[in-house]
Amino acid sequence: MVTLSLAGGLLLPLLLIALLPWPALRRLGLGLAPFAPLPALGLAAWPSVEAVLDLPAVLLGTRLGLDDTGRLFLLFTALTWLAAGLYARAYLAEDARRTRFWAFFLVTQAGNLGVCLALDLGSFYTFFALMTFAAYGLVVHTGSAEAWRAGRIYLIMAVLGEVTLVAGLMMAAHAAGSLLVADLQRAPLPPLAAALVVAGLGVKVGLPLLHMWLPLAHPVAPVPASAVLSGVMLKAGLLGWLRFLPLGHQALPELGATLMAMGVVAMFYGVAVGLAQRDIKVVLAYSSVSQLGFMTLGVGAGLLAPGLWPSLLPAIGLYALHHALAK
């Protein structure tokens, strides 16, 4: 039952996409699309022990499952996608491009949910890239000049982040001799690999100097897309840090101090710039930069002082849950 739920949580959004090109089935697909996150939400709320699904023939050997961290992220991710989807049903009722929106919405959703379930490097990166590049369709949905400009900058930043992330993950996998998250977390991580992972995922988190796409993408994206961009997709980068950095196992003081400094800058910079904005969705973007700064501060502290990590992780998780529901 748990195995079926793991597969269903990812497959339902993709199966619904298959209905959209067919006129006879499109109405059914559009009607069910808002409810696509329900299997994943049910799985996150499942009162069971850790669930794991191994698919050795997929990619480089795929492992999907839930640990405590993944369960929390899957819970608020699925809940946010469900709320955004229900709102999108009315918001896009008269939009001639709604079928295209739902196609990108569902693909992005599948990638975002998959990130929460991935317990190996290959599947995590695959789902992360799927989410990142499918979201481009949400950013440029309106087709305005501002949307195309925001989409170009989003895509440039996304590609730079993906390349940096791949380099860091390959170095980490080589050092650990494994692609499994559990092994990567325990293995000593070369400082350069850690820095590349931090920077690559930092584009998604919206670290200072890597956040430029955020205040451009939010104002032009439809409201449901802005909700998931800010509420949960940013925290896919945070989850990547939790998955691939040796938090609680290895001290990286220089990187930790740098992350703490960047977190403090983000906390105050996001508020200061956000207060000067007139567009509420730009305020939303800078608010997210500020709020993710708090979580960045916690991750930096974990790299600086591994002994503090058992206390820091629950605090970061609670803050991530709060931020997702607030957005």
Side-chain angles (χ1 to χ4, degrees):
M1 182 65 178
V2 174
T3 300
L4 290 175
S5 297
L6 280 170
L10 296 176
L11 292 179
L12 183 57
L14 299 177
L15 290 174
L16 291 176
I17 294 170
L19 302 180
L20 299 183
W22 307 95
L25 300 174
R26 185 174 302 150
R27 185 174 180 181
L28 175 63
L30 293 175
L32 293 176
F35 305 99
L38 281 176
L41 183 60
L43 177 63
W46 188 277
S48 68
V49 296
E50 184 175 321
V52 175
L53 172 63
D54 283 308
L55 301 169
V58 178
L59 297 175
L60 300 174
T62 294
R63 173 170 288 185
L64 304 176
L66 280 179
D67 54 14
D68 291 339
T69 300
R71 187 180 301 276
L72 174 64
F73 275 74
L74 184 64
L75 176 66
F76 65 68
T77 298
L79 188 59
T80 304
W81 278 99
L82 177 63
L86 291 172
Y87 181 74
R89 183 170 54 176
Y91 182 86
L92 296 162
E94 305 301 325
D95 192 329
R97 298 177 293 261
R98 66 181 180 277
T99 301
R100 185 181 69 185
F101 171 89
W102 280 109
F104 283 113
F105 191 82
L106 290 169
V107 175
T108 308
Q109 179 185 131
N112 199 179
L113 296 174
V115 164
C116 301
L117 293 170
L119 294 179
D120 69 281
L121 185 153
S123 60
F124 180 94
Y125 178 75
T126 300
F127 287 125
F128 189 84
L130 180 67
M131 175 193 70
T132 296
F133 292 112
Y136 172 80
L138 301 178
V139 174
V140 303
H141 173 75
T142 62
S144 66
E146 294 82 3
W148 287 115
R149 176 174 177 268
R152 285 195 299 272
I153 294 174
Y154 171 83
L155 209 52
I156 290 169
M157 296 296 297
V159 170
L160 291 175
E162 297 288 323
V163 171
T164 305
L165 176 59
V166 166
L169 291 180
M170 290 176 67
M171 293 176 65
H174 177 74
S178 173
L179 298 177
L180 297 180
V181 166
D183 296 333
L184 289 164
Q185 289 174 335
R186 291 191 294 265
L189 186 63
L192 178 58
L196 289 172
V197 169
V198 165
L201 293 167
V203 173
K204 191 69 68 196
V205 173
L207 288 179
L209 302 181
L210 301 178
H211 74 285
M212 292 86 77
W213 64 274
L214 260 171
L216 297 175
H218 276 290
V220 298
V223 169
S226 290
V228 292
L229 275 168
S230 180
V232 290
M233 287 177 60
L234 295 184
K235 283 186 283 297
L238 172 66
L239 180 59
W241 285 349
L242 302 183
R243 290 303 196 202
F244 299 115
L245 294 176
L247 294 159
H249 299 285
Q250 177 186 355
L252 294 169
E254 294 83 2
L255 183 59
T258 301
L259 259 186
M260 291 183 71
M262 296 183 79
V264 171
V265 170
M267 288 158 53
F268 292 98
Y269 169 80
V271 171
V273 178
L275 288 174
Q277 306 304 313
R278 300 179 67 87
D279 186 326
I280 188 61
K281 290 173 76 177
V282 179
V283 175
L284 177 76
Y286 281 109
S287 169
S288 293
V289 170
S290 175
Q291 298 301 300
L292 267 294
F294 284 87
M295 295 171 242
T296 300
L297 178 65
V299 173
L303 290 174
L304 186 64
L308 297 177
W309 188 241
S311 299
L312 290 168
L313 179 57
I316 292 171
L318 180 61
Y319 209 108
L321 171 64
H322 168 268
H323 178 253
L325 298 182
K327 294 306 177 203

